[in-house]
Amino acid sequence: MDATVTGFEVHDIRFPTSEQLDGSDAMNPDPDYSAAYLVLQTSDGSEGHGFCFTIGRGNEVVAAAIEALRPYVVGRPVPRTAADLAAVHLAVTHDSQLRWLGPEKGVMHMAAGAVINAAWDLAARRAGMPVWRFLASMTPEELVSLVDFRYLSDALTPDEALAVLRAAAPGRALRTERLIEDGYPAYTSTPGWLGYDDAKLVRLAEHAVADGFTQIKLKVGVDMEEDVRRMRLARKAVGPDVRIAVDANQRWDVGAAVRWMAALAPYDPYWIEEPTSPDDVLGHAAVRAGQPVRVATGEHVANRVVFKQLLQARAVDFVQIDAARVAGVNENLAILLLAAKFQVPVCPHAGGVGLCELVQHLAMFDYVAVSGSREDRVIEYVDHLHEHFTDPAVVVAGRYRAPSAPGFSARMRPESIAAHSYPDGPVWQTSKGSGTR
Amino acid sequence: MDATVTGFEVHDIRFPTSEQLDGSDAMNPDPDYSAAYLVLQTSDGSEGHGFCFTIGRGNEVVAAAIEALRPYVVGRPVPRTAADLAAVHLAVTHDSQLRWLGPEKGVMHMAAGAVINAAWDLAARRAGMPVWRFLASMTPEELVSLVDFRYLSDALTPDEALAVLRAAAPGRALRTERLIEDGYPAYTSTPGWLGYDDAKLVRLAEHAVADGFTQIKLKVGVDMEEDVRRMRLARKAVGPDVRIAVDANQRWDVGAAVRWMAALAPYDPYWIEEPTSPDDVLGHAAVRAGQPVRVATGEHVANRVVFKQLLQARAVDFVQIDAARVAGVNENLAILLLAAKFQVPVCPHAGGVGLCELVQHLAMFDYVAVSGSREDRVIEYVDHLHEHFTDPAVVVAGRYRAPSAPGFSARMRPESIAAHSYPDGPVWQTSKGSGTR
């Protein structure tokens, strides 16, 4: 008999990060980094882990949404193949009644992503491969079968997707070797949180360069003069050859974004990230047309339909996928294929809780089997909370090492889960975080 | 001392509508119409009611999201003025941690809408006015102060909004009289559910015309030949002068929508509603450009930013606001102002549970104080579940009568709440609905 999924444990896990102002930006002054966390268990003793990243309050709502997906997974055969993983994806995203709550956006869609990613963790573990390699072991036809092409066909057909994947297929083995040899470029956002003072900004920027990073990122968007001042300090600290990206976290309207970037332009920002609402395709196109700096967005883009339009409208220079906001590996594969078709580089969003761990697999798979390139591509890296994972992301000399452990690097240490469970874990008996509101 | 909000009761209410296939369409074969329902109570004994409409499974997730908003309302002064209602709106939509769960979309945003609408029900009741009249009693300046203009300024500035409202101000009294005299045009979707057989379709279409409706709507999108056949039957039943709108409920990609509408065009469909994903601004523009039928959408459009783009891209001929998906009255006011600026008529979505009751207030206020017109404008009407409300919408001879009872017509009968509470209410002891999955 085939093994079945028998367990579906949901945890509300929160870290009181607001106490150090790690993660503070123009829209998010005091986040408590959190995860609505799922453990799937099987009748033969294996596990799959997945999660949504949130910044505190409302994590329990995402946990409730994951819970609502229990009946679509428990009691079913353990997913092993591309066909199985396509079925899991459709089961949790195509239920008509749950779809009403989006469709394909917000809490319910994030929850679907956690379930799908847990299924991938499970399947890759059982295959004995890290997810990037498990994906790269699939044929172009299998990969295409994983994608929901609904609403995409005006921009990308299954045949076009197949052509992208077939073109990359001959180079897979060589690129896999290269990846294992020298990893994938990272950039660091550690220096640039708004809550850090000048001394800490300069010190961390200098450390980043010393550590081998060739790109750092600063948060901007609250006060233009202050941002110009901080940008000048950072530029002085890192010199002219290190890229400095800036990130407004959706703070601006179109006009403000254009004005602000004109003021920062003399210090050569590499990209402006999230200049405005993640829903505003036409707004991003206007920002891109209105000032000289490259435009990046994606961490809050709800689904493949919005990414499709950002590409169709030539609104972005970089596509910033997030591993845990859209419907998991399957929808991110759709987005990687769209980006490859439109020849726009993918530079994943990471940080948070476990996002570096997850998204490195997608970027590496993209290099090996989709875009075939690491040119102009970097994965974000933030150096916190990795110690809570059993297979933490490893960044050496400014580059992610290719994960070798089976699975999605998604597994949080049991003692971390116990300690940070909200509201009853021991950490929350002494920490207050940013409070209940 | 000012009265404060002291109670915040959340109910999971579900109706087993799947048993009759009421509400069946191309994407939603078996809905159990439901409401995540909120009752606010005050220290001096008044109440405000609000809700989200869902179609069954997942209603508990929306209820959990409403629950997460409790601390932003309870213990605060009872909202009475435009300034108070602007503050409620910002409190529940601008919390940085909850915003992460959207932003401004899906479950968390729907929940914000329920809370905001309950606050409006409460304030209008205390003012002794129906919401449409309460809104129309506010000055243009007060109305503008209710709107969150973030992300709108490239399409609509506060000054432009003020100009729209000032232009309509002199005619308010006359239009109020007219509205009370002869109501607001309705159209009916009752005949057209996909689950109904031909005889029921024809009988209900004929009844609709006999009842005074000048527009009906058919669900389409599963089978093109079948849709052509049903459209032909409906056209024959109602004659050439009654408008027949068709509604695909997001079933198509752009190409399919264009082909399908070419096939239906000989039977003169009035509009094609939700031809594709509600997120697909560029897709709607392509559908509008590719075939002869007018395009309508909005019931699943997540927020004002997407409506803005639908208008900027000239993607729609009709804006279909929904009373309970965006952030309540405040965000709908933003959308009414955008539509007025772009001179696109608003034809609200209704049906479901209580949506006719709510949205009539917004359309009537639009007529009195924003667009100043009922031309080319109709409110959807579906004749079911009204008996559960204490002030049900009244449609006579194909027109909504203007509500006169104070509040938002949002109050469900206590015995209906008790009977349909899920899963413990008596109705759910004997009904199964469409099941847990």
Side-chain angles (χ1 to χ4, degrees), chain B residues 65-282:
Chain B
I66 295 174
E67 192 59 58
L69 294 169
R70 175 190 294 269
Y72 303 83
V73 181
V74 172
R76 311 248 166 141
V78 169
R80 293 178 303 123
T81 64
D84 299 340
L85 290 158
V88 170
H89 172 251
L90 291 183
V92 299
T93 60
H94 277 217
D95 176 86
S96 61
Q97 296 185 15
L98 296 176
R99 189 179 180 280
W100 187 270
L101 308 184
E104 301 189 75
K105 59 178 66 68
V107 166
M108 205 64 238
H109 204 52
M110 293 166 76
V115 174
I116 292 161
N117 284 344
W120 279 88
D121 182 55
L122 178 58
R125 259 167 215 281
R126 292 173 73 103
M129 286 185 265
V131 160
W132 69 268
R133 206 149 187 173
F134 182 53
L135 276 163
S137 75
M138 292 179 180
T139 65
E141 291 76 10
E142 285 173 322
L143 291 168
V144 166
S145 77
L146 289 163
V147 172
D148 181 1
F149 283 91
R150 178 173 276 176
Y151 307 137
L152 296 188
S153 64
D154 57 325
L156 180 76
T157 64
D159 282 349
E160 289 172 325
L162 204 55
V164 165
L165 292 163
R166 284 182 177 156
R172 285 190 190 185
L174 179 62
R175 287 191 294 271
T176 299
E177 273 177 45
R178 285 193 186 148
L179 186 65
I180 291 169
E181 192 180 303
D182 64 357
Y184 197 106
Y187 75 92
T188 175
S189 303
T190 299
W193 303 108
L194 275 189
Y196 290 177
D197 64 24
D198 288 356
K200 189 165 182 180
L201 162 63
V202 167
R203 186 175 77 247
L204 292 174
E206 289 170 350
H207 282 184
V209 176
D211 285 347
F213 288 100
T214 57
Q215 178 175 333
I216 67 169
K217 192 163 78 185
L218 297 193
K219 298 293 184 176
V220 297
V222 171
D223 178 312
M224 184 152 66
E225 283 181 35
E226 182 70 4
D227 287 344
V228 169
R229 201 180 59 70
R230 291 171 66 254
M231 181 79 188
R232 196 164 50 216
L233 278 175
R235 176 57 72 205
K236 196 170 157 207
V238 303
D241 298 332
V242 169
R243 294 167 175 172
I244 306 178
V246 299
D247 183 354
N249 290 88
Q250 313 167 25
R251 182 72 185 211
W252 302 319
D253 282 27
V254 171
V258 168
R259 286 193 302 279
W260 217 286
M261 292 317 297
L264 289 173
Y267 306 97
D268 192 21
Y270 183 61
W271 73 49
I272 171 59
E273 178 169 333
E274 290 204 304
T276 189
S277 164
D279 303 332
D280 201 346
V281 171
L282 302 179

Side-chain angles (χ1 to χ4, degrees), chain A residues 110-185:
Chain A
M110 293 165 77
V115 173
I116 292 161
N117 284 344
W120 278 89
D121 183 55
L122 179 58
R125 258 167 217 281
R126 291 172 73 103
M129 285 184 266
V131 159
W132 69 268
R133 203 147 191 175
F134 182 52
L135 275 163
S137 75
M138 293 180 181
T139 64
E141 291 75 11
E142 285 173 322
L143 290 168
V144 166
S145 77
L146 289 163
V147 172
D148 180 2
F149 283 91
R150 177 173 276 176
Y151 307 137
L152 296 188
S153 64
D154 56 327
L156 180 76
T157 64
D159 282 349
E160 290 171 327
L162 204 54
V164 166
L165 292 164
R166 283 182 178 156
R172 284 188 190 186
L174 178 63
R175 288 191 294 269
T176 299
E177 273 177 49
R178 284 192 187 148
L179 187 64
I180 291 169
E181 192 180 301
D182 63 358
Y184 197 106

